[in-house]
Amino acid sequence: MGKKGYWLVMLTVTDPEGYQRYRDAIGDAVSRFGGRYLVRGGQVTNPEGSDFDRHVVVEFDSYETALSCYRSPAYQTALQNRVASSTGHFAIVEGA
């Protein structure tokens, strides 16, 4: 079996309404590619001083699937809302 792929996201939301539009729009893309939320918000402690207040981890069956979801037209359309309503980091990584 191949290695899983993950979206690792650390954000600060600057426009809650715009970010909600992003969240509403990505559900279809994530589910279409078999993504599963492992972390989506929740309580956070930043022991090393991170400025980000929202953390998300999405697991996919493979690194290639995680990339394909990100590159999909559905996600790319939604991405415009995330970029306009938050600052942060988004990485796609291969699991161990």
Side-chain angles (χ1 to χ4, degrees):
M1 182 190 294
K3 296 179 180 180
K4 298 208 181 245
Y6 297 89
W7 287 2
L8 306 178
V9 186
M10 297 172 63
L11 301 172
T12 295
V13 175
T14 56
D15 172 10
E17 289 179 19
Y19 190 77
Q20 186 60 49
R21 286 191 296 274
Y22 164 73
R23 286 186 61 191
D24 292 345
I26 66 168
D28 286 341
V30 170
S31 64
R32 190 175 314 141
F33 286 87
R36 183 171 70 103
Y37 287 94
L38 301 179
V39 175
R40 191 173 194 184
Q43 186 173 336
V44 173
T45 300
N46 293 310
E48 296 186 8
S50 171
D51 291 333
F52 304 112
D53 59 17
R54 181 154 183 84
H55 300 76
V56 179
V57 177
V58 183
E59 180 182 67
F60 293 89
D61 286 340
S62 70
Y63 177 73
E64 291 77 17
T65 302
L67 284 173
S68 294
C69 184
Y70 183 84
R71 294 173 177 160
S72 72
Y75 185 79
Q76 288 298 302
T77 299
L79 175 61
Q80 296 172 26
N81 284 314
R82 194 197 86 222
V83 170
S85 63
S86 67
T87 59
H89 299 288
F90 190 116
I92 301 171
V93 300
E94 184 178 55

